[in-house]
Amino acid sequence: MPQHATSPDFLQRLAELEDQVAQLRRTGWERDELPFYPTSLHTMPYEDNTAFTTVWESILAPRTASLSLGLVTIGDVVGTTNTGGAWQVVMAQTDIVMSGAVAATFSYQFAAQVIDLAPYRALTELKVQLQVRRTVGATTGGKFGTGGAIGIAPRYARLL
């Protein structure tokens, strides 16, 4: 029968336990990054449509508890006309889980949220789409000729 000798020194055993707990905590912070791919016909990340258009998307197997998602948006300026819009994050083709406005200024804005993946755990594949549309501003000129082109892009996407 194998025997296991433990140190009778309480402080030494406590130090070993603290080291093991610290190791477990560090491994618990590991995260998987989720890549996004551009889908817009105008390429990344600008769009000038007045209807929501998917600009980035990804497909994942929802085996984790949540998705931490960070976005960056930017408006446009055509001549002296500022152009802005709206953005949304759509899951499973229909569920809007995040949304906001793209300010009608030529400056970056940031959005972040942790999205609960529990309602999607039974799915084998889950599509995540980043969509944007132009709502105010120029209707001619701009990057593609039909008005200001607003942008959205993922800053980070971590499966937690």
Side-chain angles (χ1 to χ4, degrees):
M1 175 172 215
Q3 294 182 351
H4 183 348
T6 60
S7 172
D9 184 14
F10 173 75
L11 292 177
Q12 183 179 355
R13 288 192 347 237
L14 181 62
E16 289 172 2
L17 284 173
E18 285 177 341
D19 184 51
Q20 290 173 353
V21 169
Q23 272 185 328
L24 288 172
R25 284 184 178 157
R26 281 193 300 273
T27 58
W29 282 101
E30 291 179 6
R31 298 175 175 154
D32 290 328
E33 292 286 332
L34 178 67
F36 275 86
Y37 303 98
T39 60
S40 172
L41 296 175
H42 291 149
T43 68
M44 45 182 158
Y46 295 98
E47 190 56 63
D48 61 356
N49 285 320
T50 56
F52 276 112
T53 303
T54 300
V55 184
W56 296 87
E57 72 179 12
S58 187
I59 297 176
L60 66 111
R63 300 293 174 253
T64 60
S66 57
L67 170 65
S68 178
L69 184 60
L71 305 172
V72 59
T73 63
I74 187 169
D76 196 4
V77 177
V78 179
T80 58
T81 305
N82 292 331
T83 301
W87 62 267
Q88 63 185 16
V89 177
V90 178
M91 294 189 132
Q93 305 284 33
T94 58
D95 299 343
I96 299 171
V97 295
M98 283 176 73
S99 62
V102 178
T105 61
F106 195 58
S107 59
Y108 291 103
Q109 295 177 313
F110 302 100
Q113 185 172 324
V114 176
I115 301 166
D116 182 19
L117 295 180
Y120 309 104
R121 294 290 292 266
L123 300 176
T124 56
E125 295 175 346
L126 175 62
K127 183 185 264 188
V128 182
Q129 299 170 294
L130 306 182
Q131 298 180 340
V132 70
R133 71 176 176 180
R134 180 173 45 97
T135 58
V136 297
T139 57
T140 60
K143 188 172 178 75
F144 307 116
T146 56
I150 57 177
I152 186 170
R155 289 186 300 135
Y156 61 85
R158 294 183 189 105
L159 295 167
L160 305 176

PDB file of all heavy atoms in Angstrom, residues 21-37:
ATOM      1  N   VAL A  21      -3.567  27.259  -5.080  1.00  0.00           N
ATOM      2  CA  VAL A  21      -4.729  28.117  -5.303  1.00  0.00           C
ATOM      3  C   VAL A  21      -4.393  29.226  -6.300  1.00  0.00           C
ATOM      4  O   VAL A  21      -5.173  29.539  -7.191  1.00  0.00           O
ATOM      5  CB  VAL A  21      -5.255  28.692  -3.972  1.00  0.00           C
ATOM      6  CG1 VAL A  21      -6.273  29.789  -4.208  1.00  0.00           C
ATOM      7  CG2 VAL A  21      -5.864  27.590  -3.135  1.00  0.00           C
ATOM      8  N   ALA A  22      -3.222  29.803  -6.187  1.00  0.00           N
ATOM      9  CA  ALA A  22      -2.796  30.848  -7.130  1.00  0.00           C
ATOM     10  C   ALA A  22      -2.714  30.296  -8.544  1.00  0.00           C
ATOM     11  O   ALA A  22      -3.119  30.957  -9.505  1.00  0.00           O
ATOM     12  CB  ALA A  22      -1.459  31.433  -6.697  1.00  0.00           C
ATOM     13  N   GLN A  23      -2.205  29.073  -8.704  1.00  0.00           N
ATOM     14  CA  GLN A  23      -2.145  28.433 -10.018  1.00  0.00           C
ATOM     15  C   GLN A  23      -3.545  28.223 -10.587  1.00  0.00           C
ATOM     16  O   GLN A  23      -3.799  28.482 -11.765  1.00  0.00           O
ATOM     17  CB  GLN A  23      -1.428  27.093  -9.940  1.00  0.00           C
ATOM     18  CG  GLN A  23       0.047  27.175 -10.112  1.00  0.00           C
ATOM     19  CD  GLN A  23       0.660  25.778 -10.131  1.00  0.00           C
ATOM     20  OE1 GLN A  23       0.157  24.858  -9.469  1.00  0.00           O
ATOM     21  NE2 GLN A  23       1.718  25.630 -10.891  1.00  0.00           N
ATOM     22  N   LEU A  24      -4.470  27.750  -9.769  1.00  0.00           N
ATOM     23  CA  LEU A  24      -5.844  27.534 -10.219  1.00  0.00           C
ATOM     24  C   LEU A  24      -6.497  28.850 -10.634  1.00  0.00           C
ATOM     25  O   LEU A  24      -7.229  28.910 -11.621  1.00  0.00           O
ATOM     26  CB  LEU A  24      -6.669  26.858  -9.125  1.00  0.00           C
ATOM     27  CG  LEU A  24      -6.350  25.396  -8.855  1.00  0.00           C
ATOM     28  CD1 LEU A  24      -7.105  24.909  -7.623  1.00  0.00           C
ATOM     29  CD2 LEU A  24      -6.707  24.557 -10.062  1.00  0.00           C
ATOM     30  N   ARG A  25      -6.257  29.909  -9.910  1.00  0.00           N
ATOM     31  CA  ARG A  25      -6.828  31.216 -10.257  1.00  0.00           C
ATOM     32  C   ARG A  25      -6.283  31.709 -11.586  1.00  0.00           C
ATOM     33  O   ARG A  25      -7.004  32.279 -12.398  1.00  0.00           O
ATOM     34  CB  ARG A  25      -6.542  32.238  -9.165  1.00  0.00           C
ATOM     35  CG  ARG A  25      -7.412  32.060  -7.960  1.00  0.00           C
ATOM     36  CD  ARG A  25      -7.166  33.142  -6.956  1.00  0.00           C
ATOM     37  NE  ARG A  25      -8.038  32.980  -5.815  1.00  0.00           N
ATOM     38  CZ  ARG A  25      -7.794  33.471  -4.619  1.00  0.00           C
ATOM     39  NH1 ARG A  25      -6.711  34.175  -4.405  1.00  0.00           N
ATOM     40  NH2 ARG A  25      -8.645  33.278  -3.637  1.00  0.00           N
ATOM     41  N   ARG A  26      -4.987  31.518 -11.818  1.00  0.00           N
ATOM     42  CA  ARG A  26      -4.406  31.973 -13.084  1.00  0.00           C
ATOM     43  C   ARG A  26      -4.982  31.205 -14.260  1.00  0.00           C
ATOM     44  O   ARG A  26      -5.282  31.785 -15.301  1.00  0.00           O
ATOM     45  CB  ARG A  26      -2.892  31.833 -13.048  1.00  0.00           C
ATOM     46  CG  ARG A  26      -2.192  32.931 -12.282  1.00  0.00           C
ATOM     47  CD  ARG A  26      -0.703  32.910 -12.535  1.00  0.00           C
ATOM     48  NE  ARG A  26      -0.068  31.671 -12.135  1.00  0.00           N
ATOM     49  CZ  ARG A  26       0.397  31.400 -10.914  1.00  0.00           C
ATOM     50  NH1 ARG A  26       0.287  32.307  -9.966  1.00  0.00           N
ATOM     51  NH2 ARG A  26       0.955  30.269 -10.635  1.00  0.00           N
ATOM     52  N   THR A  27      -5.168  29.914 -14.140  1.00  0.00           N
ATOM     53  CA  THR A  27      -5.714  29.144 -15.256  1.00  0.00           C
ATOM     54  C   THR A  27      -7.181  29.466 -15.478  1.00  0.00           C
ATOM     55  O   THR A  27      -7.677  29.356 -16.580  1.00  0.00           O
ATOM     56  CB  THR A  27      -5.553  27.622 -15.023  1.00  0.00           C
ATOM     57  OG1 THR A  27      -6.202  27.269 -13.814  1.00  0.00           O
ATOM     58  CG2 THR A  27      -4.101  27.236 -15.004  1.00  0.00           C
ATOM     59  N   GLY A  28      -7.891  29.910 -14.449  1.00  0.00           N
ATOM     60  CA  GLY A  28      -9.283  30.293 -14.606  1.00  0.00           C
ATOM     61  C   GLY A  28      -9.469  31.559 -15.407  1.00  0.00           C
ATOM     62  O   GLY A  28     -10.556  31.852 -15.884  1.00  0.00           O
ATOM     63  N   TRP A  29      -8.408  32.352 -15.597  1.00  0.00           N
ATOM     64  CA  TRP A  29      -8.509  33.603 -16.347  1.00  0.00           C
ATOM     65  C   TRP A  29      -8.230  33.420 -17.829  1.00  0.00           C
ATOM     66  O   TRP A  29      -8.269  34.373 -18.592  1.00  0.00           O
ATOM     67  CB  TRP A  29      -7.545  34.635 -15.770  1.00  0.00           C
ATOM     68  CG  TRP A  29      -8.089  35.232 -14.524  1.00  0.00           C
ATOM     69  CD1 TRP A  29      -7.741  34.917 -13.251  1.00  0.00           C
ATOM     70  CD2 TRP A  29      -9.104  36.215 -14.429  1.00  0.00           C
ATOM     71  NE1 TRP A  29      -8.472  35.648 -12.361  1.00  0.00           N
ATOM     72  CE2 TRP A  29      -9.319  36.467 -13.062  1.00  0.00           C
ATOM     73  CE3 TRP A  29      -9.856  36.918 -15.356  1.00  0.00           C
ATOM     74  CZ2 TRP A  29     -10.253  37.381 -12.609  1.00  0.00           C
ATOM     75  CZ3 TRP A  29     -10.773  37.836 -14.895  1.00  0.00           C
ATOM     76  CH2 TRP A  29     -10.964  38.051 -13.549  1.00  0.00           C
ATOM     77  N   GLU A  30      -7.906  32.199 -18.255  1.00  0.00           N
ATOM     78  CA  GLU A  30      -7.667  31.982 -19.676  1.00  0.00           C
ATOM     79  C   GLU A  30      -8.966  32.181 -20.443  1.00  0.00           C
ATOM     80  O   GLU A  30     -10.029  31.753 -20.021  1.00  0.00           O
ATOM     81  CB  GLU A  30      -7.132  30.578 -19.909  1.00  0.00           C
ATOM     82  CG  GLU A  30      -5.732  30.397 -19.366  1.00  0.00           C
ATOM     83  CD  GLU A  30      -5.217  28.997 -19.573  1.00  0.00           C
ATOM     84  OE1 GLU A  30      -5.896  28.196 -20.228  1.00  0.00           O
ATOM     85  OE2 GLU A  30      -4.137  28.708 -19.065  1.00  0.00           O
ATOM     86  N   ARG A  31      -8.868  32.828 -21.600  1.00  0.00           N
ATOM     87  CA  ARG A  31     -10.046  33.127 -22.401  1.00  0.00           C
ATOM     88  C   ARG A  31      -9.778  32.762 -23.845  1.00  0.00           C
ATOM     89  O   ARG A  31      -8.650  32.851 -24.316  1.00  0.00           O
ATOM     90  CB  ARG A  31     -10.377  34.614 -22.313  1.00  0.00           C
ATOM     91  CG  ARG A  31     -10.705  35.037 -20.910  1.00  0.00           C
ATOM     92  CD  ARG A  31     -10.912  36.505 -20.838  1.00  0.00           C
ATOM     93  NE  ARG A  31     -11.344  36.857 -19.495  1.00  0.00           N
ATOM     94  CZ  ARG A  31     -11.154  38.021 -18.943  1.00  0.00           C
ATOM     95  NH1 ARG A  31     -10.556  38.967 -19.594  1.00  0.00           N
ATOM     96  NH2 ARG A  31     -11.571  38.254 -17.728  1.00  0.00           N
ATOM     97  N   ASP A  32     -10.826  32.403 -24.544  1.00  0.00           N
ATOM     98  CA  ASP A  32     -10.721  32.116 -25.965  1.00  0.00           C
ATOM     99  C   ASP A  32     -11.155  33.340 -26.745  1.00  0.00           C
ATOM    100  O   ASP A  32     -12.217  33.898 -26.500  1.00  0.00           O
ATOM    101  CB  ASP A  32     -11.616  30.926 -26.342  1.00  0.00           C
ATOM    102  CG  ASP A  32     -11.097  29.616 -25.775  1.00  0.00           C
ATOM    103  OD1 ASP A  32      -9.876  29.492 -25.652  1.00  0.00           O
ATOM    104  OD2 ASP A  32     -11.908  28.743 -25.476  1.00  0.00           O
ATOM    105  N   GLU A  33     -10.353  33.755 -27.706  1.00  0.00           N
ATOM    106  CA  GLU A  33     -10.700  34.879 -28.566  1.00  0.00           C
ATOM    107  C   GLU A  33     -11.592  34.377 -29.701  1.00  0.00           C
ATOM    108  O   GLU A  33     -11.360  33.305 -30.255  1.00  0.00           O
ATOM    109  CB  GLU A  33      -9.439  35.516 -29.159  1.00  0.00           C
ATOM    110  CG  GLU A  33      -8.567  36.205 -28.137  1.00  0.00           C
ATOM    111  CD  GLU A  33      -9.153  37.521 -27.658  1.00  0.00           C
ATOM    112  OE1 GLU A  33      -9.904  38.164 -28.419  1.00  0.00           O
ATOM    113  OE2 GLU A  33      -8.852  37.903 -26.522  1.00  0.00           O
ATOM    114  N   LEU A  34     -12.592  35.163 -30.043  1.00  0.00           N
ATOM    115  CA  LEU A  34     -13.499  34.833 -31.133  1.00  0.00           C
ATOM    116  C   LEU A  34     -13.178  35.742 -32.313  1.00  0.00           C
ATOM    117  O   LEU A  34     -13.284  36.956 -32.194  1.00  0.00           O
ATOM    118  CB  LEU A  34     -14.957  35.037 -30.696  1.00  0.00           C
ATOM    119  CG  LEU A  34     -16.017  34.775 -31.748  1.00  0.00           C
ATOM    120  CD1 LEU A  34     -16.057  33.292 -32.105  1.00  0.00           C
ATOM    121  CD2 LEU A  34     -17.380  35.226 -31.245  1.00  0.00           C
ATOM    122  N   PRO A  35     -12.772  35.178 -33.446  1.00  0.00           N
ATOM    123  CA  PRO A  35     -12.467  36.030 -34.597  1.00  0.00           C
ATOM    124  C   PRO A  35     -13.744  36.459 -35.317  1.00  0.00           C
ATOM    125  O   PRO A  35     -14.726  35.726 -35.362  1.00  0.00           O
ATOM    126  CB  PRO A  35     -11.630  35.114 -35.499  1.00  0.00           C
ATOM    127  CG  PRO A  35     -12.132  33.741 -35.179  1.00  0.00           C
ATOM    128  CD  PRO A  35     -12.498  33.770 -33.711  1.00  0.00           C
ATOM    129  N   PHE A  36     -13.736  37.670 -35.878  1.00  0.00           N
ATOM    130  CA  PHE A  36     -14.820  38.157 -36.720  1.00  0.00           C
ATOM    131  C   PHE A  36     -14.277  38.356 -38.122  1.00  0.00           C
ATOM    132  O   PHE A  36     -13.095  38.676 -38.302  1.00  0.00           O
ATOM    133  CB  PHE A  36     -15.378  39.485 -36.189  1.00  0.00           C
ATOM    134  CG  PHE A  36     -16.417  39.313 -35.131  1.00  0.00           C
ATOM    135  CD1 PHE A  36     -16.068  39.166 -33.808  1.00  0.00           C
ATOM    136  CD2 PHE A  36     -17.767  39.278 -35.468  1.00  0.00           C
ATOM    137  CE1 PHE A  36     -17.026  38.990 -32.836  1.00  0.00           C
ATOM    138  CE2 PHE A  36     -18.732  39.097 -34.498  1.00  0.00           C
ATOM    139  CZ  PHE A  36     -18.365  38.954 -33.181  1.00  0.00           C
ATOM    140  N   TYR A  37     -15.156  38.187 -39.124  1.00  0.00           N
ATOM    141  CA  TYR A  37     -14.756  38.294 -40.517  1.00  0.00           C
ATOM    142  C   TYR A  37     -15.611  39.341 -41.218  1.00  0.00           C
ATOM    143  O   TYR A  37     -16.814  39.401 -40.995  1.00  0.00           O
ATOM    144  CB  TYR A  37     -14.902  36.935 -41.204  1.00  0.00           C
ATOM    145  CG  TYR A  37     -14.105  35.870 -40.492  1.00  0.00           C
ATOM    146  CD1 TYR A  37     -14.712  35.008 -39.572  1.00  0.00           C
ATOM    147  CD2 TYR A  37     -12.737  35.762 -40.693  1.00  0.00           C
ATOM    148  CE1 TYR A  37     -13.972  34.055 -38.891  1.00  0.00           C
ATOM    149  CE2 TYR A  37     -11.996  34.808 -40.018  1.00  0.00           C
ATOM    150  CZ  TYR A  37     -12.614  33.960 -39.119  1.00  0.00           C
ATOM    151  OH  TYR A  37     -11.880  33.030 -38.441  1.00  0.00           O
TER     152      TYR A  37
END
